[in-house]
Structures are given as C-alpha cells and as structure tokens.
C-alpha cells in the first residue's frame, strides 16, 4: 500500500457505500454506533454505584438511566419517564423498581410501568420504557445496547483467580473514542510522548490482522522488539510487570475505549494483580476503584494547562507527580491535542502508521458488512502476553 494513501479510498461504491472513515459517530442511528452496539460495553464502575442509587449516564451518544436496586442488581433503562418526560435518574429506587420523581409512575427493571398512583383507572399495561441487559463483572457494569439477543459477555479467566486483587477505573477525556483506539497500535508515540521511559525510535516491522483484531510489531535499535495488540472493536489488553513483592506475576489489564458522545469518551479499565496467598488474604474489599475523581481532575487540569500554553509538558515532568500521572498527562496532551474529533481525511499516515491504517481498514470492512447485511467477523479474545 502506498504510504500516504488510506485503504478504502475509491474502493467501495454503490448505494450502501460506507461513508469513508466514519468511525466516530456512534449515536443509535449511526453505522459505527450500530456496530459498537453489537458488543457488550462497560458503562460504569461498579463500586461507584451503591444500592438504591440512580444516575444519568451518556454512552454512545445516548442518554440513559442506570440504577442499582436495593437487592444489589444494576439495571439500565431509558433516560426519561413515559408520562411527561422528566429525568428518571431523579426518582426513587424501590426494591428493583424505579419510581419517577414527578408524579410517581413506577417502572420495573424490564421497563414495564407497574404503577400510576394518580390515575383512577391505571393504564400501566400500555406503558413501557426501554430497558437493556446488564451484567456486573470484574468491577464494571456492562450493558448490551444492541438489538436482539445479546452475545455472551466475554470472560477473563485470569481475572477470576482467588489469589488476586482487582482494580476497576474510568478516565473521561474530551476527545472521540477512536483517537484513543488508534493510540493502541501507535508504538512510535512512546519515543516522543513518553520520552523519559523509552526514547528509542522503533522501526515498523509488521501490522497484521489476527483472530482477535490487529497486532503491530516493532523493533528497536538495541535489537529488542515490542508488539501492541488491539482487540476489535475498541479494546486494548496487555500484561505489565509486577510492581511489588506481593505480586507473583505480571498485572493483566483490559481497557475499553467507550464513546460518551462524538466529542468525548471514557476509558474503562480493569486490572488484576496476582498476589501471594498471604497478600491476597490481606487485600481489602475488592474490587477497588483505580484512579479516583481527584486523580482524573488533576490529569485534565495539567493536560489542559499544557494545551492552553500556560505550561509545557517539561514543567509537568519536573513537577511533584508520580510516573503514572505524568504518563497519563502526556497521553492526554497528545490525543486531546488532536482536537475533539480529528478529521482523518486531512491526515498523512506514513509507514510508521501501518497499524493505524490497518485498524481503519478493518473497521471500514466491518461497517461495510453491517451496511450490506452481511455477517460480521466473530473476534476471539486476545491472549494476554507478557512476563
Ligand atoms: S413525568 Fe414521570 S410520572 Fe409524570
Ligand atoms: Fe502513551
């Protein structure tokens, strides 16, 4: 493929031609939105939602109401009440049901209206709101927003060890999810964005489609090599070395890059630390929340100050921040710095961007299949590599 030419240019034609490179619009009617909805997506950190609480959420450009019943089960229903439209998250959780704040209509977890207190002749049977399947797993609440029967929720056996501690977290950034998705196969950025950790410029060796998505391999001047793996359509999985003597092997991480709307996304994460039996016994309540609100606020403030020119990234690197904070600010600056929703028609990918070009090509092919009503690729999960 000639460098500087995007795959798919001039390729598809006809009435169902997929709008070139339109991966970024993910509302319910958009093709990329329909595609992402064929997969389970995390929508909330489980520990952030106590029993009896309801919250408004926005996922894939859709407003919804998430609540946890008094039984402990999480439920996801429409954003507004069918009566006169007020926001259902302001209501009251009663058992596994949700009562509207405005005039007290009550809905069960399937979205069926079951009470209309002020109606002399209730007509609940004719009233229902949308409800979506949810599952709680490895510290996250997952939902299926697609049509028909949901597929099985993918499982991660290495997260289910008894001798382990789990951390789940979220990071909300003001840019489209696909920018974060494209950063996974981008191993070049490490040499510049995270220059303190690895200044060596890699050489692109290969970008290949696999049974889980794409794999990108690079080599370094010292003879070492590295591979990045992206699981279709929006996941990154990798193993990092242990950080303490309590950990018997590497940490497994999964990140889901989930659209909030066209200009914002949230990166949900699940990390498992494999512990010695003694450390596992001492591990407090699990799963834990990674990166609390204060941490996320700091990343955004530091990143925005660099983007506004009030500071340079070198100032942040010399500041009193830990390694992880600095790395996150660096990534924030590079990706939010692309703009809220980058125009891919204007960029100039080179040979070092082969993984990104391949990611776009695979996404484009899947969107075209969806538009044509052809079967979609069934992806396997990524085998976790590493120490
Ligand atoms: S708007 Fe919900 S009961 Fe009236
Ligand atoms: Fe990075």
């Amino acid at each position: 493929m000639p460098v500087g030419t995007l795959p798919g240019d001039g390729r598809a034609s006809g009435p169902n031609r997929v709008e070139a490179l339109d991966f970024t619009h993910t509302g319910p009617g958009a093709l990329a939105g329909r595609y992402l909805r064929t997969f389970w997506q995390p929508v909330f950190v489980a520990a952030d939602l106590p029993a009896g609480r309801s919250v408004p959420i926005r996922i894939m450009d859709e407003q919804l109401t998430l609540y946890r019943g008094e039984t402990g089960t999480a439920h996801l229903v429409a954003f507004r009440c069918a009566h006169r439209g007020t926001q259902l998250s302001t209501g009251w959780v009663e058992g596994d049901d949700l009562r509207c704040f405005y005039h007290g209509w009550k809905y069960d977890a399937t979205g069926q209206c079951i009470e209309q207190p002020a109606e002399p002749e209730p007509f609940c049977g004719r009233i229902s709101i949308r409800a979506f399947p949810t599952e709680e797993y490895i510290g996250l609440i997952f939902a299926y927003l697609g049509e028909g029967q949901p597929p099985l929720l993918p499982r991660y056996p290495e997260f289910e060890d008894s001798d382990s501690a789990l951390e789940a977290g979220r990071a909300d950034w003001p840019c489209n999810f696909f920018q974060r998705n494209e950063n996974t196969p981008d191993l070049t950025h490490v040499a510049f964005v995270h220059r303190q950790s690895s200044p060596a410029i890699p050489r692109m060796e290969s970008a290949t489609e696999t049974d889980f998505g794409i794999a990108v391999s690079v080599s370094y001047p010292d003879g070492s090599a590295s591979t990045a793996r992206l699981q279709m359509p929006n996941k990154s999985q990798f193993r990092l070395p242990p950080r303490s003597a309590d950990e018997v092997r590497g940490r497994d991480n999964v990140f889901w890059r989930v659209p909030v709307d066209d200009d914002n996304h949230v990166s949900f994460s699940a990390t498992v630390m494999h512990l010695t039996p003694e450390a596992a016994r001492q591990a407090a309540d699990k799963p834990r929340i990674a990166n609390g609100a204060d941490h996320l606020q700091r990343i955004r403030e530091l990143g925005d100050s660099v983007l506004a020119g009030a500071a340079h990234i070198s100032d942040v690197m010399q500041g009193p921040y830990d390694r992880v904070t600095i790395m996150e600010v660096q990534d924030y600056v590079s990706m939010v710095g692309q703009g809220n929703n980058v125009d891919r028609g204007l960029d100039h990918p080179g040979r070092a961007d082969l993984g990104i070009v391949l990611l776009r090509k695979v996404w484009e092919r899947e969107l075209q299949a969806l538009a044509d009503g052809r079967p979609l690729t069934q992806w396997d999960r990524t085998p976790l590599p590493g120490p």
Side-chain angles (χ1 to χ4, degrees):
M1 176 190 324
V3 168
T5 302
L6 294 176
D9 283 358
R11 199 185 41 167
S13 61
N16 284 334
R17 181 184 179 279
V18 170
E19 183 73 22
L21 308 179
D22 187 8
F23 315 127
T24 65
H25 296 93
T26 58
L31 199 52
R34 285 172 51 208
Y35 180 54
L36 277 181
R37 282 170 174 75
T38 65
F39 301 86
W40 286 88
Q41 302 290 346
V43 298
F44 218 71
V45 174
D48 283 342
L49 187 66
R53 267 301 297 276
S54 52
V55 290
I57 63 167
R58 189 175 195 104
I59 288 289
M60 295 186 278
D61 215 9
E62 196 165 6
Q63 288 181 297
L64 299 165
T65 307
L66 179 69
Y67 68 98
R68 192 187 288 289
E70 290 169 320
T71 63
T73 308
H75 306 289
L76 187 63
V77 296
F79 186 62
R80 298 192 183 283
C81 177
H83 178 220
R84 284 175 43 217
T86 205
Q87 192 175 313
L88 278 171
S89 63
T90 57
W92 292 272
V93 175
E94 298 179 1
D96 270 312
D97 307 324
L98 187 59
R99 186 181 295 282
C100 180
F101 181 67
Y102 207 175
H103 315 95
W105 283 21
K106 182 162 148 176
Y107 300 90
D108 71 15
T110 70
Q112 180 62 48
C113 183
I114 52 173
E115 275 185 32
Q116 294 167 312
E119 290 302 319
E121 293 180 29
F123 47 97
C124 301
R126 287 193 278 123
I127 305 292
S128 64
I129 56 173
R130 292 190 308 156
F132 304 89
T134 60
E135 272 200 55
E136 199 160 327
Y137 183 57
I138 57 175
L140 296 167
I141 298 170
F142 290 82
Y144 182 73
L145 272 59
E147 293 167 6
Q149 267 304 105
L152 290 176
L153 179 72
R155 300 280 159 178
Y156 296 86
E158 50 286 88
F159 280 71
E160 297 179 11
D161 274 359
S162 53
D163 288 352
S164 66
L166 280 176
E167 261 184 15
R170 65 180 296 158
D172 296 70
W173 286 9
C175 67
N176 186 270
F177 84 106
F178 213 81
Q179 284 158 236
R180 199 81 197 264
N181 223 22
E182 288 180 335
N183 191 60
T184 296
D186 180 349
L187 289 166
T188 310
H189 88 276
V190 178
F192 293 91
V193 173
H194 312 296
R195 54 177 58 192
Q196 75 282 3
S197 58
S198 173
I201 297 173
R203 178 189 150 86
M204 171 61 69
E205 294 295 342
S206 65
T208 48
E209 184 172 350
T210 68
D211 55 2
F212 58 78
I214 64 171
V216 172
S217 295
V218 297
S219 61
Y220 294 94
D222 67 0
S224 61
S226 179
T227 298
R229 296 169 176 84
L230 180 136
Q231 183 171 26
M232 281 289 290
N234 62 333
K235 265 191 273 186
S236 168
Q237 282 182 230
F238 49 87
R239 183 169 287 167
L240 291 174
R243 288 199 198 150
S244 81
D246 288 342
E247 297 178 42
V248 295
R249 61 184 167 91
R251 298 170 163 218
D252 295 317
N253 298 271
V254 185
F255 290 85
W256 292 257
R257 320 302 190 183
V258 183
V260 171
D261 57 28
D262 294 346
D263 294 336
N264 295 276
H265 79 276
V266 50
S267 184
F268 286 103
S269 62
T271 301
V272 62
M273 288 139 282
H274 307 281
L275 303 173
T276 60
E278 176 59 24
R281 265 194 300 280
Q282 290 172 3
D285 305 333
K286 56 181 187 174
R288 310 193 292 236
I289 301 178
N291 304 333
D294 290 354
H295 175 81
L296 298 182
Q297 179 75 11
R298 186 176 312 118
I299 302 297
R300 288 184 68 139
E301 282 174 6
L302 290 169
D304 287 342
S305 74
V306 174
L307 290 168
H312 189 265
I313 195 68
S314 320
D315 305 325
V316 177
M317 290 164 68
Q318 285 156 21
Y321 309 111
D322 62 50
R323 194 178 60 86
V324 172
T325 299
I326 290 170
M327 300 258 301
E328 288 179 24
V329 174
Q330 290 168 329
D331 278 326
Y332 181 98
V333 167
S334 61
M335 281 171 262
V336 177
Q338 291 178 289
N340 296 118
N341 194 348
V342 66
D343 182 348
R344 288 174 180 75
L346 298 178
D347 63 17
H348 298 85
R351 185 174 160 72
D353 300 306
L354 279 181
I356 292 148
V357 170
L358 178 63
L359 173 63
R360 294 176 182 178
K361 186 177 171 183
V362 170
W363 255 78
E364 202 171 77
R365 185 193 68 210
E366 295 300 307
L367 294 191
Q368 186 67 60
L370 184 63
D372 294 345
R374 287 183 280 117
L376 301 173
T377 303
Q378 298 300 306
W379 304 99
D380 283 343
R381 53 157 302 198
T382 320
L384 281 160

